[in-house]
Amino acid sequence: MTDQLKDKIAIGLDAARKRTRALTESVDNDELVQQHSPIMSPLVWDLAHIGNQEELWLLRDVGGREPVMGTHIDQLYDAFKHPRRDRPQLPLLSPTESRVYVDEVRAKVLDVLESTPLEGRKLLDQGFAFGMITQHEAQHDETMLATHQLRTGPPALTAPQPPSPTINPATLPTEQFVAAGSFTMGTSTEAWALDNERPAHQVHVDAFWIDTFPITNEQYISFIDDGGYDQQRWWSQDGWNHVNDANLRAPLFWYKEGDAWFRRRFGYIESVPPNEPVQHVCWFEAEAFARWAGKRLPTEAEWEKAARHDPGTGRSRRFPWGDASVTTEHANVGQEYLQPSPVGSYPESASAYGVQQQIGDVWEWTASVFTGYPGFAAWPYAEYSEVFFDMGLRVLRGGAWSVDPVACRGTFRNWDLPIRRQIFAGFRCARDAEGSA
């Protein structure tokens, strides 16, 4: 089992690194050191930060090795010491130095992996430390994808178009009913689950209805055409203030010519596909659409119950479709298409309640503020989750097309400010069931 686990870890580390290389080698060194948006780091910072976190945890902590370049670079790549807007002014490693650094760290990490027993210490049990770092790199790959989307200039990334949907969404109910009752939320058994996913606990959820599919571009255009951005009644006061201060009129990267909507996607200009889940909308926009539609955003507990709970057995699944790991039959993940797939593309994704495409395609905004579960314990460091609790950040669930499968599961939690639109986020709606408490 140990050899199989080490093989799995090595494969995961290599897959993440191949993606990192593709994202940083697709542009020249001048673009690597540029800041394409004040809310994002230069790509070269992300590259060296990935290597520095790997060094701190896997070389120095797990392996007991000496620093590769000395400890002076640690503060340069500490995400809490320097806001993103300030990072271009730091004496960062050059692109060449960064590549040499991350390659040297990785070679030493593989040596540590080969020689280290994956037992006898909580950080090593079931390879957790290696899984944590693999997920960390995958998450920064997604961050770098967002930076690529924000950059201007000719396309640097390419990918095929998603295949046509295999079912017609119009043949299915638009909503699915979830009966009242308790379910097991979170996990205490998922080997590489992060601290904010733990522990498993019982949550009672009143009966509700939830959309079968995420909200599509076509549906969102109806909201725009009906004056959604012009009528304060659909917006919270904070949302209305933001929509006016930021002059929001449509999802980020959209523009209109005549009666047609277009978007810029990784340097390409294209018509907005009607049946694709809408993305690049902030939490305030999702909330306003839901109110316009006579609905609301689901709570995080509602989202997870609809995704994981099996009313037939009473247990919670790892994924909506069951316990089997995600495949291309289940979801659009892993940067395969550089965009969401049309609704109706993954009938095998259906949860026990019939809800589809909850994993992959777009992160889904929920109504909930990010906080810890009952019994939460920060581990292995408070800065991963705990420092963000109860600050008004909203929870996103499900993962997007940009998410690596290693960081995508039914319990995985993401969070961001309610104004953020550069992330690959959309949403689906919910509503109370009549007569529910």
Side-chain angles (χ1 to χ4, degrees):
M1 179 60 185
T2 299
D3 288 343
Q4 291 178 341
L5 178 56
K6 289 186 175 184
D7 288 344
K8 173 187 173 182
I9 290 168
I11 290 170
L13 288 168
D14 183 60
R17 186 52 47 86
K18 284 179 179 175
R19 194 173 169 196
T20 299
R21 288 197 185 104
L23 289 164
T24 54
E25 293 175 0
S26 57
V27 294
D28 61 26
N29 286 352
D30 288 340
E31 286 212 54
L32 280 179
V33 301
Q34 288 180 26
Q35 186 169 47
H36 299 281
S37 167
I39 63 172
M40 306 301 287
S41 306
L43 291 168
V44 74
W45 186 92
D46 286 287
L47 175 60
H49 170 77
I50 286 168
N52 187 242
Q53 287 294 294
E54 189 168 327
E55 179 186 1
L56 287 172
W57 286 100
L58 301 185
L59 285 191
R60 298 191 210 167
D61 190 318
V62 172
R65 305 291 182 90
E66 292 297 314
V68 171
M69 296 185 67
T71 60
H72 66 283
I73 70 166
D74 296 348
Q75 63 88 22
L76 296 176
Y77 299 101
D78 186 328
F80 288 90
K81 287 187 179 297
H82 306 286
R84 288 177 174 179
R85 66 178 179 272
D86 297 338
R87 291 171 188 171
Q89 283 70 55
L90 298 173
L92 303 176
L93 298 178
S94 70
T96 298
E97 291 169 330
S98 296
R99 292 185 177 110
V100 170
Y101 173 57
V102 298
D103 286 349
E104 185 173 354
V105 169
R106 176 55 56 85
K108 294 178 183 294
V109 161
L110 293 177
D111 182 60
V112 168
L113 175 62
E114 183 177 353
S115 61
T116 302
L118 300 182
E119 58 186 5
R121 183 182 171 195
K122 185 179 179 182
L123 195 64
L124 291 175
D125 286 348
Q126 300 184 76
F128 176 83
F130 294 91
M132 178 181 70
I133 290 301
T134 304
Q135 291 177 86
H136 176 264
E137 181 161 356
Q139 288 171 300
H140 273 272
D141 288 341
E142 186 175 10
T143 299
M144 289 192 286
L145 263 177
T147 302
H148 268 272
Q149 172 62 11
L150 287 162
R151 65 177 281 276
T152 57
L157 303 174
T158 60
Q161 292 287 309
S164 299
T166 56
I167 59 172
N168 181 358
T171 63
L172 297 177
T174 59
E175 301 174 301
Q176 303 294 337
F177 177 72
V178 181
S182 296
F183 82 107
T184 302
M185 186 173 184
T187 180
S188 297
T189 58
E190 187 76 29
W192 290 359
L194 303 169
D195 60 1
N196 63 68
E197 301 171 65
R198 302 171 183 268
H201 58 288
Q202 290 294 300
V203 177
H204 176 85
V205 180
D206 291 332
F208 66 100
W209 293 85
I210 188 167
D211 291 348
T212 303
F213 296 102
I215 296 302
T216 64
N217 291 325
E218 183 175 48
Q219 291 171 302
Y220 200 84
I221 288 171
S222 296
F223 168 68
I224 299 174
D225 290 345
D226 197 41
Y229 284 89
D230 302 315
Q231 301 178 58
Q232 185 175 356
R233 59 180 171 150
W234 306 130
W235 301 81
S236 64
Q237 188 59 58
D238 287 344
W240 186 245
N241 292 341
H242 178 65
V243 78
N244 286 286
D245 290 345
N247 193 30
L248 305 187
R249 310 302 300 167
L252 187 61
F253 309 116
W254 284 30
Y255 67 95
K256 193 174 186 181
E257 287 188 356
D259 294 329
W261 282 100
F262 297 87
R263 69 180 180 188
R264 178 174 61 82
R265 183 177 63 84
F266 296 104
Y268 297 95
I269 301 299
E270 59 191 18
S271 297
V272 171
N275 294 327
E276 204 178 87
V278 67
Q279 63 176 348
H280 297 305
V281 291
C282 70
W283 185 87
F284 289 128
E285 290 169 294
E287 180 193 40
F289 176 98
R291 190 174 291 119
W292 169 81
K295 299 183 180 183
R296 57 176 174 78
L297 294 178
T299 66
E300 184 182 12
E302 287 174 334
W303 189 97
E304 186 168 330
K305 182 174 183 180
R308 298 185 61 220
H309 182 243
D310 183 346
T313 64
R315 64 181 293 271
S316 290
R317 302 169 169 180
R318 292 185 67 217
F319 295 97
W321 53 84
D323 293 338
S325 296
V326 61
T327 71
T328 55
E329 297 296 314
H330 296 120
N332 174 7
V333 294
Q335 196 185 318
E336 186 172 357
Y337 300 123
L338 290 177
Q339 66 191 93
S341 296
V343 294
S345 293
Y346 299 97
E348 296 299 317
S349 72
S351 74
Y353 292 102
V355 185
Q356 297 198 22
Q357 290 177 245
Q358 284 187 276
I359 300 295
D361 290 312
V362 289
W363 285 105
E364 297 187 19
W365 288 110
T366 73
S368 299
V369 172
F370 184 55
T371 192
Y373 290 155
F376 169 84
W379 185 77
Y381 61 109
E383 290 79 8
Y384 181 74
S385 302
E386 191 172 34
V387 296
F388 299 104
F389 287 168
D390 304 311
M391 294 177 58
L393 289 87
R394 301 291 173 163
V395 176
L396 301 109
R397 299 298 298 266
W401 60 266
S402 49
V403 175
D404 191 274
V406 75
C408 184
R409 50 190 167 268
T411 58
F412 194 92
R413 307 172 75 198
N414 194 4
W415 62 93
D416 214 326
L417 294 168
I419 65 171
R420 288 292 183 240
R421 307 209 298 167
Q422 86 283 4
I423 58 177
F424 305 102
F427 62 100
R428 74 181 72 217
C429 299
R431 63 183 175 91
D432 297 342
E434 291 185 13
S436 62

